[in-house]
Amino acid sequence: MSQALVRTAAGWLLVLMLAVAAGIVAINIVNNTIASPQQPVREYIDALQKGEGEKALGLLRASVPQSSAAMLDGTALQTAASRISGLKYGEAEDRGGNQVMVPVDYTIDGSDLRTEFLLEKTGTEWLFFSKWAFVPATLPVLDVTVVNANEATLNGVPVNMPNGRNSFAVFYPGEYEASLTGSYFSAPATKATLSARDLPAAPLNLLTEATDGLKDAVGSKLKEFLDTCADTADKQQKLQPDCPFYHTTNNRVIDGTIDWSITEYPTVSIEPFGGRWVVAPLNGKAQIKARQVDLFTGAVTELNAVHDFSFTTRLDVDADTVKVTPLLNY
């Protein structure tokens, strides 16, 4: 064989070896990037942050437990994942049986967290490229309760709360925030951060309170009731009117001189009790002015007395109206 042919053959052999080496390098690069175990995890978290629940569910290969699906798509899902920052995808760790664990470190509201995803090798493509997928699991469930209300807001989305409670299937990682904001009742926001399928033992509990708007509405109706009661007592010239307040005396009060007024209106306090909202016992002060005659001496004097009074009410509230019914014990 001539030296020229040898050199040509050697050249082609070198080219072939370089091509094989390049192919191996390319395969390794692909298997460490787009065909790596980390890739499905990246795609999954990207779907969460875009609010693409259907895609996320398909990637996670997760089943949905019997619960509300209100958090699994759109704004609610995007909000849950929007607080994730500083994502770092760790090296896959072998778990045996063609399974690996991919750790992801990140922060939510300044807290350092980690989620570990379990994936399995499901085959190869084009003979060389690995295929990875999440090991199927069931989505976690977040329980939410609210005192004396049938609705709430979870991650900015209004949700129904039958009998004050509901359960929501959720993706992870993410943060879920529940609150109640209304004209008459509200509850401070409370949060739960999910870094894995395991949830906090306690649910999100919304501690509902009466708003200042409701207290003002009740106070206004009570003021109207008491003022009307005092005006009616004046017109009827009664010492013991059908009101929470009254006056007793052994003297004769001159008809036409009785003048009732409220000098201190009750402070309104509204609390939950027995599945209802109740107004705490109401205390105030009423003043009576009149002229009176001493039955023994006949002397005429000015009557000016202030009496403490107390009564209770029944409170009925619906979406638009507040009804206050005074309960008087005579």
Side-chain angles (χ1 to χ4, degrees):
M1 182 180 293
S2 68
Q3 290 185 352
L5 288 174
V6 171
R7 286 195 297 270
T8 301
W12 281 109
L13 180 60
L14 178 60
V15 170
L16 179 61
M17 291 176 64
L18 291 173
V20 171
I24 293 173
V25 171
I27 290 171
N28 288 333
I29 290 173
V30 171
N31 276 327
N32 288 325
T33 54
I34 61 175
S36 70
Q38 288 89 346
Q39 186 59 25
V41 180
R42 290 190 184 94
E43 293 177 5
Y44 166 69
I45 292 181
D46 181 66
L48 297 185
Q49 292 180 325
K50 291 179 179 177
E52 298 174 348
E54 185 176 356
K55 181 179 179 180
L57 191 63
L59 287 166
L60 196 59
R61 301 167 72 195
S63 57
V64 180
Q66 186 174 359
S67 55
S68 171
M71 296 296 104
L72 297 184
D73 200 29
T75 299
L77 174 58
Q78 195 170 19
T79 299
S82 66
R83 290 150 184 168
I84 301 172
S85 62
L87 285 160
K88 295 179 181 178
Y89 297 87
E91 294 295 326
E93 301 176 11
D94 183 64
R95 287 291 187 266
N98 285 327
Q99 293 186 348
V100 297
M101 183 276 290
V102 175
V104 182
D105 296 302
Y106 53 92
T107 61
I108 292 181
D109 289 344
S111 298
D112 294 328
L113 300 169
R114 166 175 283 206
T115 299
E116 297 181 345
F117 294 98
L118 190 62
L119 293 96
E120 59 186 0
K121 188 175 181 179
T122 59
T124 58
E125 289 183 333
W126 303 101
L127 300 178
F128 304 108
F129 305 131
S130 301
K131 292 177 62 178
W132 295 93
F134 289 92
V135 173
T138 302
L139 288 180
V141 173
L142 177 65
D143 294 324
V144 182
T145 68
V146 59
V147 175
N148 282 11
N150 293 315
E151 61 182 3
T153 298
L154 188 57
N155 275 17
V157 176
V159 292
N160 292 323
M161 300 290 291
N163 299 316
R165 62 182 61 247
N166 208 343
S167 298
F168 301 87
V170 291
F171 286 108
Y172 62 94
E175 185 175 69
Y176 295 85
E177 179 178 296
S179 62
L180 175 64
T181 303
S183 299
Y184 296 142
F185 302 105
S186 65
T190 181
K191 298 179 181 179
T193 300
L194 281 68
S195 59
R197 288 192 300 111
D198 298 327
L199 288 176
L204 284 180
N205 296 316
L206 290 175
L207 303 179
T208 315
E209 300 175 343
T211 64
D212 289 339
L214 178 59
K215 294 176 184 178
D216 291 344
V218 171
S220 177
K221 290 183 178 295
L222 291 172
K223 183 178 184 299
E224 180 182 1
F225 161 71
L226 291 170
D227 288 344
T228 300
C229 220
D231 290 342
T232 301
D234 291 347
K235 292 175 182 178
Q236 296 176 346
Q237 288 294 287
K238 285 187 174 182
L239 295 178
Q240 299 179 0
D242 296 330
C243 298
F245 45 83
Y246 62 90
H247 178 77
T248 59
T249 180
N250 291 324
N251 297 326
R252 179 174 65 82
V253 176
I254 299 175
D255 194 35
T257 66
I258 295 175
D259 179 24
W260 283 100
S261 62
I262 308 301
T263 58
E264 184 178 311
Y265 292 94
T267 299
V268 176
S269 176
I270 302 172
E271 302 292 340
F273 179 78
R276 291 176 53 86
W277 289 97
V278 297
V279 180
L282 299 160
N283 302 301
K285 296 180 184 292
Q287 182 179 43
I288 183 172
K289 293 182 179 180
R291 298 181 68 197
Q292 58 185 355
V293 178
D294 188 307
L295 295 179
F296 295 99
T297 65
V300 177
T301 59
E302 297 294 326
L303 169 63
N304 188 342
V306 175
H307 295 287
D308 294 328
F309 64 82
S310 179
F311 67 106
T312 59
T313 63
R314 187 179 72 244
L315 176 63
D316 297 289
V317 183
D318 61 26
D320 301 313
T321 60
V322 176
K323 182 179 180 181
V324 179
T325 305
L327 305 174
L328 305 179
N329 296 318
Y330 301 110

